[in-house]
Amino acid sequence: MQPTPRTIPSRLAKRAQYDDQTVYSILDEALFCTVSCVINGQPFSLPTAFVRYENVLYLHGSVGSHFIREIEKGIPVCITVMLTDALVVAKSAFHHSVNYRSVVLFSSAEKIESYEQKAEVLKWVTEKMVPNSWEYLRPMTESEVKKTTVLGFKIEEASAKIRTGMPIDDEEDTALPIWSGLIPLGSGRGTPIADDFSKNVPLPEHLRHLQ
């Protein structure tokens, strides 16, 4: 991807990266994104699940969703993702920061009309949320697929921005007897908890090794 005026950060531009591999890796690890746009002069943002396949980001929603019905028209949207890896604790509050990996993407929706492609995207989303679960679940019905809108966004104008490493304190503060360093932030899936209808149902193999 080539930098554009919209994808070059106004601050710390040296942290920006534009190669496909970096952008895709962040999108593939993140489970949720935020889609923002302006509708009739009013700003809107929607946090939602998504999946990437090749150079397209896909999301889905109810055919009755006002937000989905508006963005399916192809209006410009900004899609953002952020993964937080650690809190960066400096010797002064001014230099506190966060180690993170983020993506900002500008695109417009292309509505997926093909029933087969819609069903395939819904499978991809499901497998991303809960890996290896699609074949275990009750098959999705034709009615459920038809009640769902699937939108694709080409990943052509995007940038990643990444911060790593320790705090960057002012030189005169480095000798102060104040603790500084990183507080790692955990990520991953916890131990599954059964609902009342599954107390006696064995935990399936694909849920035993979630992380």
Side-chain angles (χ1 to χ4, degrees):
M1 275 163 275
Q2 294 297 317
T4 70
R6 296 194 295 184
T7 60
I8 298 175
S10 60
R11 186 173 180 275
L12 296 175
K14 64 182 180 181
R15 293 181 181 171
Q17 299 186 35
Y18 301 93
D19 62 287
D20 293 355
Q21 183 177 358
T22 299
V23 171
Y24 291 170
S25 68
I26 296 170
L27 294 176
D28 292 346
E29 183 174 344
L31 295 179
F32 308 100
C33 67
T34 299
V35 184
S36 303
C37 64
V38 175
I39 301 173
N40 297 326
Q42 174 68 40
F44 288 89
S45 279
L46 177 72
T48 184
F50 75 97
V51 68
R52 178 195 68 87
Y53 183 76
E54 296 181 342
N55 70 327
V56 180
L57 182 151
Y58 294 95
L59 58 85
H60 69 289
S62 168
V63 296
S65 164
H66 171 71
F67 188 87
I68 293 293
R69 291 202 310 270
E70 289 297 322
I71 64 175
E72 74 178 30
K73 298 175 183 177
I75 63 177
V77 302
C78 179
I79 300 175
T80 58
V81 164
M82 180 174 177
L83 300 171
T84 52
D85 298 315
L87 299 177
V88 180
V89 181
K91 295 183 184 297
S92 71
F94 182 79
H95 288 299
H96 278 18
S97 189
V98 177
N99 281 348
Y100 66 90
R101 292 164 287 148
S102 65
V103 168
V104 175
L105 163 66
F106 297 94
S107 191
S108 296
E110 295 182 13
K111 187 176 181 180
I112 307 303
E113 301 287 359
S114 162
Y115 175 89
E116 291 73 19
Q117 188 176 0
K118 285 175 61 177
E120 187 72 5
V121 171
L122 295 175
K123 176 181 178 180
W124 296 338
V125 174
T126 302
E127 287 286 287
K128 183 180 182 182
M129 294 295 120
V130 186
N132 303 311
S133 64
W134 184 259
E135 298 299 330
Y136 174 80
L137 300 170
R138 186 266 288 164
M140 190 171 290
T141 67
E142 182 176 346
S143 174
E144 290 170 336
V145 175
K146 289 182 176 179
K147 291 177 181 177
T148 307
T149 297
V150 173
L151 303 176
F153 300 83
K154 288 184 179 178
I155 307 170
E156 296 176 336
E157 187 180 6
S159 65
K161 193 176 182 185
I162 299 172
R163 188 209 190 275
T164 60
M166 288 292 181
I168 303 174
D169 277 300
D170 294 333
E171 185 175 355
E172 60 269 25
D173 291 341
T174 57
L176 293 174
I178 298 172
W179 188 93
S180 55
L182 302 179
I183 300 176
L185 296 174
S187 63
R189 298 166 175 82
T191 302
I193 302 172
D195 65 14
D196 291 340
F197 302 101
S198 299
K199 296 293 187 182
N200 298 317
V201 178
L203 190 67
E205 185 66 25
H206 68 272
L207 295 182
R208 295 179 186 176
H209 306 291
L210 282 180
Q211 294 184 0

